[in-house]
Amino acid sequence: DGIKLSVETLRGWMLSEGLWQRKRHRDKHRQRRPRRSCFGEMVQADASEHDWLEGRGPMLTLAGLIDDATDRVILRFHESETTEAYMDVLERWIRRFGRPVSWYSDRHGIFRAEETVAGYDEKQSVATQFSRALSELRMELILAGSPQAKGRIERLWNTCQDRLVKELRLAGARTLEEANAVLEKFMQWFNRRCTNKPASENDAHRAIGNLDLKAILSIQHE
């Protein structure tokens, strides 16, 4: 009929008559990454600084590892998030279960460092004490791209900040040593009640063999 209308005017008329529906743009749903098949294929590592003692004692950091396939954990309270804290929980894990195939963590400077290298315009990734230790243990270092990628250990912290805090309160824990004593009982409960059966019955851990674990995981001041 020779009538000229703008697109927005026509869309408005059609909306009012129920002939047009707005398309809602929804955020893309994040799917959880499938678990690894075998116990020991990969451990997720992280630390949680929290008022674990609720003012009864010092601020502590809970460092821990959780197996990706089973959710089995090794946890330990430390004064802060340090290389020594991570080496401590890794040594405890290896002595109990063996060497995992890979280590999955965030991009903290403990695991990844950058330096200006002669001849290069941009900073280059360099090895840290911890990444060198993993290399000697023949464990792959995998760095997460976001906090959401470490979902299993993030959910573990939610459980700990609820149930573990209550256990510490009931025990009246006031020191690092007392907190770790309560933590031992908590880990026994968690590993008995909150773990999953892996898809494969194979255990991917490797034996220590003739590796000098104590020397590899010692803190060397450079």
Side-chain angles (χ1 to χ4, degrees), residues 11-215:
R11 183 182 293 118
W13 288 353
M14 295 178 72
L15 282 169
S16 65
E17 295 296 325
L19 300 175
W20 184 286
Q21 290 186 345
R22 298 181 186 274
K23 290 185 178 180
R24 295 184 178 180
H25 295 282
R26 301 179 182 272
D27 292 335
K28 188 176 181 180
H29 175 66
R30 289 181 178 271
Q31 291 186 336
R32 291 186 181 179
R33 176 182 52 77
R35 292 179 181 273
R36 295 298 176 98
S37 300
C38 302
F39 178 41
E41 270 193 80
M42 183 171 75
V43 291
Q44 289 191 21
D46 198 13
S48 174
E49 184 180 3
H50 185 68
D51 187 10
W52 297 100
L53 301 180
E54 300 176 300
R56 295 184 306 274
M59 289 289 290
L60 299 175
T61 294
L62 183 59
L65 302 178
I66 185 169
D67 179 66
D68 193 73
T70 65
D71 283 347
R72 189 177 294 272
V73 301
I74 289 286
L75 305 168
R76 193 73 176 171
F77 280 117
H78 285 267
E79 294 179 352
S80 58
E81 184 178 9
T82 61
T83 299
E84 186 173 15
Y86 283 110
M87 286 190 172
D88 176 47
V89 291
L90 177 56
E91 182 177 357
R92 291 172 185 274
W93 186 285
I94 292 175
R95 292 199 182 281
R96 184 168 181 180
F97 303 119
R99 288 178 296 139
V101 175
S102 60
W103 170 286
Y104 191 77
S105 62
D106 58 22
R107 296 172 178 268
H108 194 288
I110 291 172
F111 314 116
R112 175 181 180 269
E114 292 184 339
E115 290 183 358
T116 301
V117 181
Y120 293 88
D121 295 331
E122 299 180 353
K123 289 185 177 180
Q124 303 292 313
S125 294
V126 295
T128 64
Q129 286 191 35
F130 196 87
S131 66
R132 285 194 294 266
L134 291 183
S135 179
E136 289 187 52
L137 291 168
R138 292 188 280 281
M139 289 175 56
E140 181 186 7
L141 172 61
I142 304 173
L143 300 175
S146 67
Q148 292 81 5
K150 301 189 285 87
R152 289 191 226 299
I153 202 159
E154 295 294 341
R155 289 188 289 276
L156 170 64
W157 296 148
N158 291 336
T159 300
C160 291
Q161 289 174 14
D162 177 21
R163 187 174 182 110
L164 178 55
V165 166
K166 294 174 182 175
E167 296 293 334
L168 292 165
R169 185 190 309 150
L170 287 171
R174 296 175 178 276
T175 66
L176 175 64
E177 293 74 18
E178 291 173 350
N180 275 320
V182 174
L183 182 59
E184 285 295 329
K185 296 179 180 179
F186 174 83
M187 281 195 299
Q188 292 174 15
W189 167 81
F190 189 94
N191 286 332
R192 185 175 64 252
R193 298 292 300 275
C194 302
T195 53
N196 298 286
K197 185 177 180 180
S200 171
E201 295 184 358
N202 294 328
D203 189 336
H205 287 99
R206 286 83 45 81
I208 298 174
N210 59 0
L211 294 172
D212 188 344
L213 190 62
K214 204 70 180 178

